[in-house]
Amino acid sequence: MAGRLVVIGGDAAGMSAASQARRRRDRDDLEIIAFERGHFTSYSACGIPYWISGLVDYRELITRDPETHRREHQIDVRLRHEVVKIDLERREVVARDLENGGREVREGFDDLVYAAGAVPTMPGWARTDAGGVFGVQTLDDGKALRHWLDGDPKPKRAVVVGGGYIGVEMAEAMIERGLAVTLVERGEQPMSTVDPDMGRMVRDALNGLGIDVRTRVTITGLTTEGGRVSGVRTSEVTIPADVVVLGTGVRPNVRLAAEAGLPIGPTGGIRTDLRMRVIGVPGVWAAGDCVETLHKTTGQPVYIPLGTHANKQGRVAGINIGGGYATFPGVIGTAVTRVCDLEVARTGLLEPEARIAGFEFITVTVESTNTAGYFPDAAKMTVKLIAEKGTGRLLGAQIVGRSQSAKRIDTLAVALWNKMTVDEMSMLDLGYAPPYSPVWDPVLVAARKAVDILHST
């Protein structure tokens, strides 16, 4: 008889696992059922801010729709089905059909992939029956926000809460939509994914777009009028708002996993081995924003929810379920974003993270240009490196700059991944032409400066 694979979650990790398993085992050998509580599968959640702004159509964000999965991969995709229980003893899941009055569905499994993703961190003050408060975790969330922005009366004032990737991208999207925007961040600077000195440059770019950035602010509640949000209360003032967008972060969606007895790690994510098998639970796999993983620099478990990781982890799980062999070696936290024409990138550890991990380190910050200085439209870029004292091993890097700046982080990520020292990096054979970099690329300049500091200490 054919085995049966049940997948919980129809986005990056879940459908990557299902597709990879299908490539290695045909329908007669493996039946695949995927449950997804929303209306979409295999889409780019990272593209939602650009859909909200009007830059792209939401259909362009969908890599494979349910019908494609059904037709080309023979995967039984069941949209609007919410899994509510995992019974490991009976090897079955219980789901509710949300389009048919919550009708209960039970399906047994030989293998189970738990890819339920993440859920937004919802502050207590944001829980309201009033309209106008939105997260942007899924395409369904984006659809609801678009409907509100296009509705009558049209919102004129937006408050974006949280200055991380989603927050700054959504703040820019609201500006593109013609709204007056206030960005509220409780930390010292927006973009806590870079050190505060780099975050100041992000703040300046947001201010340049006309965004009112307020940091070190604590929100205490909302004001409403006629069933709609009308403002955001802080400890000092009330900020008028016709729409509130939450960029307050996410946490692993592990409630079902915990109820079923799957192991939860110190970061709050599910614990897996390198093959994405849930530790101690045969036949059960987990991948994506619901799992914790290994940080290759510190050797410690971390929770870094990114689509790049989810796709790779799902692929690894699917290859192994299909009878192959693959591992997911860990992460170093490489990420990029853009605010208007300002690009922001990081990899490895920030200063506080390096300190917590017990490293003794030096930091260097250099300013250069993204092209040869004499080239038309040459623009400033800043590179920051963190290197271990004694060994000179690269521990982390950050870049803030204009066009052609951010993707230089990939060079630094490869160096960090392979445990290179700044001494080794200072002589890397990087490409050069005046339209692309100075003769000494900013990466090389930063590495060389780090070497000088290390040799003088």
Side-chain angles (χ1 to χ4, degrees):
M1 292 182 61
R4 177 180 283 184
L5 167 63
V6 169
V7 177
I8 301 174
D11 199 9
M15 299 316 293
S16 291
S19 298
Q20 287 298 320
R22 171 61 72 225
R23 286 189 174 97
R24 286 157 179 80
R25 297 172 65 180
D26 62 30
R27 187 182 182 92
D28 292 335
D29 186 46
L30 181 66
E31 180 185 2
I32 304 176
I33 301 171
F35 291 107
E36 166 55 46
R37 74 182 306 275
H39 293 86
F40 306 95
T41 60
S42 301
Y43 58 86
S44 170
C46 299
I48 293 174
Y50 308 105
W51 168 35
I52 298 300
S53 73
L55 185 63
V56 301
D57 186 274
Y58 82 92
R59 287 165 291 198
E60 297 174 285
L61 304 181
I62 301 171
T63 306
R64 287 188 181 87
D65 61 23
E67 188 52 42
T68 300
H69 283 298
R70 296 180 186 119
R71 183 181 66 254
E72 296 184 4
H73 299 292
Q74 295 81 52
I75 298 170
D76 181 2
V77 179
R78 303 187 189 179
L79 295 179
R80 303 294 290 143
H81 278 70
E82 181 179 13
V83 176
V84 295
K85 183 178 180 181
I86 302 168
D87 190 328
L88 293 178
E89 186 174 337
R90 299 183 62 169
R91 307 290 286 184
E92 71 174 17
V93 300
V94 180
R96 290 199 183 112
D97 183 346
L98 302 178
E99 297 291 347
N100 289 286
R103 179 177 62 90
E104 188 174 277
V105 177
R106 292 176 177 265
E107 294 290 354
F109 61 83
D110 297 295
D111 284 283
L112 175 70
V113 173
Y114 190 98
V119 291
T121 302
M122 181 70 72
W125 57 260
R127 303 180 190 279
T128 177
D129 293 329
V133 181
F134 300 91
V136 282
Q137 186 71 14
T138 67
L139 277 190
D140 287 299
D141 295 336
K143 189 175 181 179
L145 176 55
R146 284 279 305 216
H147 181 74
W148 184 265
L149 294 173
D150 294 334
D152 186 23
K154 287 188 181 297
K156 296 180 179 179
R157 304 162 299 181
V159 172
V160 178
V161 183
Y165 295 112
I166 290 296
V168 298
E169 290 166 3
M170 287 304 304
E172 183 177 359
M174 294 294 106
I175 286 287
E176 292 291 327
R177 296 281 305 222
L179 279 73
V181 180
T182 302
L183 176 69
V184 179
E185 165 60 42
R186 65 181 179 182
E188 181 180 347
Q189 299 289 353
M191 290 300 293
S192 61
T193 52
V194 296
D195 287 321
D197 54 339
M198 306 292 272
R200 279 193 289 274
M201 290 180 257
V202 179
R203 180 176 189 153
D204 290 344
L206 291 167
N207 289 152
L209 286 173
I211 296 169
D212 178 11
V213 181
R214 305 190 187 187
T215 55
R216 298 178 181 175
V217 171
T218 300
I219 295 176
T220 59
L222 298 171
T223 60
T224 62
E225 186 176 325
R228 299 167 66 96
V229 67
S230 61
V232 174
R233 289 201 307 268
T234 74
S235 52
E236 296 180 352
V237 298
T238 296
I239 306 169
D242 306 309
V243 59
V244 176
V245 181
L246 302 176
T248 48
V250 298
R251 55 184 172 80
N253 185 6
V254 296
R255 181 182 59 80
L256 279 179
E259 290 175 354
L262 303 188
I264 308 299
T267 69
I270 300 170
R271 295 181 62 220
T272 68
D273 63 15
L274 296 182
R275 298 184 70 191
M276 305 313 299
R277 297 175 296 195
V278 174
I279 292 175
V281 189
V284 179
W285 314 72
D289 291 354
C290 57
V291 306
E292 69 176 23
T293 188
L294 179 75
H295 199 293
K296 283 177 63 65
T297 303
T298 66
Q300 298 299 311
V302 290
Y303 178 65
I304 303 178
L306 290 173
T308 51
H309 304 160
N311 277 285
K312 293 170 190 171
Q313 290 168 351
R315 175 182 173 83
V316 166
I319 289 172
N320 289 314
I321 292 167
Y325 183 86
T327 60
F328 183 76
V331 302
I332 53 175
T334 307
V336 298
T337 191
R338 187 184 71 183
V339 183
C340 191
D341 64 342
L342 186 73
E343 302 176 357
V344 185
R346 60 82 53 97
T347 190
L349 305 178
L350 306 182
E351 287 189 51
E353 295 167 342
R355 207 167 284 118
I356 290 170
F359 289 106
E360 292 189 21
F361 59 89
I362 60 102
T363 66
V364 299
T365 303
V366 301
E367 289 188 359
S368 184
T369 52
N370 57 347
T371 67
Y374 56 79
F375 209 75
D377 300 323
K380 186 178 77 171
M381 66 176 289
T382 304
V383 179
K384 180 175 183 177
L385 301 185
I386 300 172
E388 185 178 24
K389 281 186 178 179
T391 68
R393 177 167 66 114
L394 183 66
L395 299 177
Q398 300 159 53
I399 295 175
V400 176
R402 306 294 169 178
S403 176
Q404 303 178 44
S405 297
K407 286 298 282 181
R408 279 179 168 90
I409 204 70
D410 291 340
T411 300
L412 294 161
V414 171
L416 197 151
W417 186 274
N418 288 286
K419 301 181 179 180
M420 292 181 68
T421 66
V422 288
D423 209 339
E424 292 169 326
M425 291 168 52
S426 67
M427 290 298 171
L428 283 171
D429 187 4
L430 303 182
Y432 159 68
Y436 299 108
S437 78
V439 66
W440 281 94
D441 189 271
V443 167
L444 300 179
V445 175
R448 192 176 62 190
K449 183 175 179 180
V451 170
D452 291 343
I453 292 176
L454 288 166
H455 287 176
S456 66
T457 57

